[in-house]
Amino acid sequence: MSIDLHEAVAVVTGAGSGIGRAAAQAFARRGARVVVTDLECERARSVAGELGGESVATACDVTSVADLEAARDLALDRFGRVDLVMNNVGILAVGPVEDIPLEAWQRVIDVNLLSVVRSNLVFLPTLLEQDSGHIVNTTSTAGLLPYGFDRLPYTATKHAVVGLSESLALYLRPRGIGVSCLCPAGVATNIVEQITFYGEPAPPKGPQFPVLDAESVGELVADGVSENRFLILTAPEAAAELRELGADVDLHLTRLTEDAR
């Protein structure tokens, strides 16, 4: 079920910077042909230029089915297939829960969660028809653990994408398609560009995981795809927190509440 990245065709959203760019680079180093997409076309073109070879770029707004279809069609027209889809776009609304307006919730859900739904509608028929492929959904440790109350719309959508990915894996693995869920902790990227702040900022509470550079995370993603791993963590320490949460949710929440005082 695992795919060989050599000469595979990968479509990466949000690949103009950060984790998306690093993953695209890691795929290309392993011989993949990459369709680099980003909301800002110039960024996508710059990354495609860095990758060289047969990589191509296109603008893509993940809230638009038509843009995702155009990215799929570009891959099919240029390379004849799609083997790997990485859904990597995410935005944040940060602030006290009571200060974040409904409009901000709707925007975060549209970008972080419904973009994955749109991607599935666009790309899954192609992967199912060829009985092979791989999907990577970028979520967060905030989608595994209950500490992201200072960015609750982001946290809620990332939990949703984790659940979606788990069930999708059960559905697709018997049909020859792998699913990976990337759950990064701290990563040095330009994600601050995608944050909208509301109310008085409060220091986040929760475990302090190491901060990785984006290039290291890109390599972890490429390795995870090659090994057909579902859960890709950037901080192994998060696994211990996840085990504690699973063993006793009440105890885990009590400890976090006491730590937050």
Side-chain angles (χ1 to χ4, degrees):
M1 189 188 305
S2 61
I3 65 171
D4 183 358
L5 286 171
H6 182 66
E7 295 191 350
V9 177
V11 179
V12 184
T13 66
S17 61
I19 291 174
R21 172 176 174 264
Q25 291 173 328
F27 298 152
R29 279 193 290 270
R30 288 160 173 76
R33 296 163 290 176
V34 185
V35 178
V36 180
T37 83
D38 196 88
L39 185 61
E40 297 185 25
C41 193
E42 286 306 312
R43 281 187 174 180
R45 288 173 180 159
S46 176
V47 173
E50 294 169 0
L51 302 184
E54 298 181 79
S55 296
V56 294
T58 186
C60 182
D61 179 350
V62 296
T63 68
S64 166
V65 171
D67 277 14
L68 289 164
E69 289 174 338
R72 176 202 61 197
D73 293 346
L74 176 60
L76 294 175
D77 291 344
R78 185 67 62 92
F79 305 120
R81 60 186 296 113
V82 175
D83 299 292
L84 170 61
V85 180
M86 183 171 180
N87 300 304
N88 183 64
V89 176
I91 62 172
L92 293 90
V94 173
V97 177
E98 64 274 18
D99 290 335
I100 299 176
L102 177 60
E103 293 77 12
W105 276 88
Q106 291 171 325
R107 174 64 176 163
V108 173
I109 290 169
D110 197 23
V111 173
N112 293 7
L113 174 58
L114 293 183
S115 66
V116 179
V117 176
R118 294 183 190 97
S119 176
N120 286 338
L121 291 172
V122 170
F123 288 100
L124 265 182
T126 298
L127 300 182
L128 288 167
E129 184 177 352
Q130 65 195 29
D131 295 319
S132 66
H134 202 100
I135 295 170
V136 179
N137 292 327
T138 300
T139 61
S140 169
T141 52
L144 296 171
L145 302 167
Y147 63 82
F149 59 83
D150 62 318
R151 68 208 81 158
L152 200 55
Y154 176 84
T155 299
T157 56
K158 293 305 184 179
H159 274 272
V161 175
V162 169
L164 182 156
S165 301
E166 290 172 338
S167 295
L168 197 62
L170 289 179
Y171 174 64
L172 293 178
R173 282 183 171 182
R175 308 184 73 168
I177 300 167
V179 177
S180 293
C181 194
L182 169 63
C183 293
V187 183
T189 70
N190 61 339
I191 195 171
V192 69
E193 296 176 4
Q194 308 302 327
I195 301 177
T196 304
F197 293 93
Y198 299 90
E200 291 295 323
K205 300 295 191 298
Q208 298 300 306
F209 297 128
V211 177
L212 270 64
D213 58 88
E215 290 70 25
S216 298
V217 177
E219 290 296 319
L220 289 173
V221 174
D223 289 343
V225 170
S226 297
E227 297 164 7
N228 193 31
R229 280 191 284 116
F230 176 78
L231 185 61
I232 303 173
L233 297 173
T234 65
E237 299 88 342
E241 290 280 337
L242 189 58
R243 284 192 291 270
E244 179 184 301
L245 174 66
D248 192 326
V249 174
D250 284 307
L251 181 63
H252 187 76
L253 289 174
T254 298
R255 180 177 68 79
L256 290 180
T257 303
E258 292 173 349
D259 290 347
R261 289 173 180 168

